[in-house]
Amino acid sequence: SRLISIDFVVGRSNMCIRIENTFDVSRKNLISEGTSKEDKKNHGFGIKKIEEIVEANKGFFSSWEKNDHYFSEIIFH
């Protein structure tokens, strides 16, 4: 089943955004190429843009995979 979960945690001096998304493990090699979509010309830039925005705002970005879930975490101080 498909799942997308987004959590916002706001503290006194920081904000954390946590994202969890499922993906089809059988298409994992396509994901590592940037996108699993057939139209690669117009897809696959999302994570790169997020990393650029977070870096420009002096934030911290991390992402990882576990089983069939993809996790991202963004922290701004």
Side-chain angles (χ1 to χ4, degrees):
S1 73
R2 301 284 305 166
L3 162 80
I4 296 177
S5 172
I6 302 173
D7 294 313
F8 293 90
V9 179
V10 179
R12 289 183 160 216
S13 63
N14 64 5
M15 177 178 69
C16 178
I17 305 167
R18 293 183 187 126
I19 304 164
E20 177 182 354
N21 191 5
T22 56
F23 67 91
D24 182 353
V25 176
S26 67
R27 300 186 80 188
K28 184 175 180 176
N29 64 331
L30 296 175
I31 292 169
S32 66
E33 295 173 7
T35 183
S36 61
K37 296 182 172 58
E38 291 182 28
D39 181 10
K40 295 189 185 324
K41 180 181 174 189
N42 295 306
H43 295 282
F45 300 104
I47 296 296
K48 291 178 204 169
K49 288 307 248 181
I50 291 170
E51 288 175 330
E52 289 174 12
I53 292 166
V54 171
E55 182 178 319
N57 289 282
K58 299 183 181 0
F60 173 77
F61 176 82
S62 64
S63 63
W64 63 95
E65 298 173 8
K66 184 174 180 182
N67 300 324
D68 62 347
H69 290 246
Y70 180 82
F71 300 88
S72 296
E73 186 172 74
I74 300 165
I75 299 173
F76 293 107
H77 295 282

